[in-house]
Amino acid sequence: MAENNYEPTIVAFTCTWCTYLAADLAGTSRMSYPANLRIVRAMCSGRIDPQFVLTAFQWGADGVLIGGCHPGDCHYQEGNYKALRRFKLLKKLAAELGIEDERLRLEWISASEADRFRDVVNEMVEDLRRLGPRSGVGEAKPVSASAAEEAIHA
């Protein structure tokens, strides 16, 4: 594939109550955004296990977007706070694994913010196009428990 034809693949883990509905609203409102997104619907952003994100990168995703409800609006009270704590740990681990900062993103997008969803997707696609393909795409790089522990406590 030529460099100028590069189209990144983004896996989006979305909360079913907010970000997923925003994506749905963007679609029904006929807002256009790049078709680079593969959405995985989760009941809550707090339910998104860090291993899901690492597996997405391992299987070739160029970027991962985690979308949840705004703090204080979680359907399950504290799920988005749990997602935020996990995201901070994931950022450290991703850096240890050589994954650029722009490739992993957490956004709070409510069900009525279709335009914000579209803008976030457009920004992320442009950022990833600028970065180019991720090195090691498709290569299985298992994360050892000791490496994960070191990254968490670094």
Side-chain angles (χ1 to χ4, degrees), residues 131-154:
L131 284 174
R134 195 170 64 79
S135 61
V137 171
E139 296 176 10
K141 291 183 179 177
V143 178
S144 70
S146 61
E149 189 73 25
E150 284 178 30
I152 288 169
H153 295 295

Side-chain angles (χ1 to χ4, degrees), residues 89-129:
L89 294 174
L90 261 171
K91 283 294 231 185
K92 289 181 182 177
L93 186 57
E96 290 292 320
L97 295 172
I99 297 170
E100 295 96 340
D101 196 48
E102 295 91 344
R103 295 187 187 276
L104 179 59
R105 191 165 171 170
L106 172 67
E107 293 290 337
W108 309 128
I109 304 171
S110 74
S112 63
E113 294 178 316
D115 53 342
R116 178 164 161 66
F117 179 81
R118 176 201 57 208
D119 294 345
V120 165
V121 171
N122 285 334
E123 283 175 23
M124 192 165 182
V125 168
E126 286 306 314
D127 288 346
L128 294 176
R129 282 182 183 150

Side-chain angles (χ1 to χ4, degrees), residues 23-147:
D24 191 40
L25 181 59
T28 57
S29 300
R30 298 181 183 260
M31 293 180 180
S32 68
Y33 57 87
N36 305 56
L37 209 60
R38 309 295 180 266
I39 295 179
V40 179
R41 188 177 183 176
M43 285 308 292
C44 177
S45 59
R47 172 62 183 88
I48 299 164
D49 190 299
Q51 189 62 47
F52 299 167
V53 174
L54 296 175
T55 301
F57 279 122
Q58 185 179 14
W59 287 4
D62 295 299
V64 173
L65 171 65
I66 300 171
C69 303
H70 287 276
D73 289 343
C74 179
H75 196 77
Y76 302 102
Q77 308 294 322
E78 301 174 348
N80 46 14
Y81 293 113
K82 186 176 183 178
L84 180 59
R85 287 191 298 271
R86 286 180 170 178
F87 178 74
K88 288 180 177 179
L89 294 174
L90 261 171
K91 283 294 231 185
K92 289 181 182 177
L93 186 57
E96 290 292 320
L97 295 172
I99 297 170
E100 295 96 340
D101 196 48
E102 295 91 344
R103 295 187 187 276
L104 179 59
R105 191 165 171 170
L106 172 67
E107 293 290 337
W108 309 128
I109 304 171
S110 74
S112 63
E113 294 178 316
D115 53 342
R116 178 164 161 66
F117 179 81
R118 176 201 57 208
D119 294 345
V120 165
V121 171
N122 285 334
E123 283 175 23
M124 192 165 182
V125 168
E126 286 306 314
D127 288 346
L128 294 176
R129 282 182 183 150
R130 189 175 24 80
L131 284 174
R134 195 170 64 79
S135 61
V137 171
E139 296 176 10
K141 291 183 179 177
V143 178
S144 70
S146 61

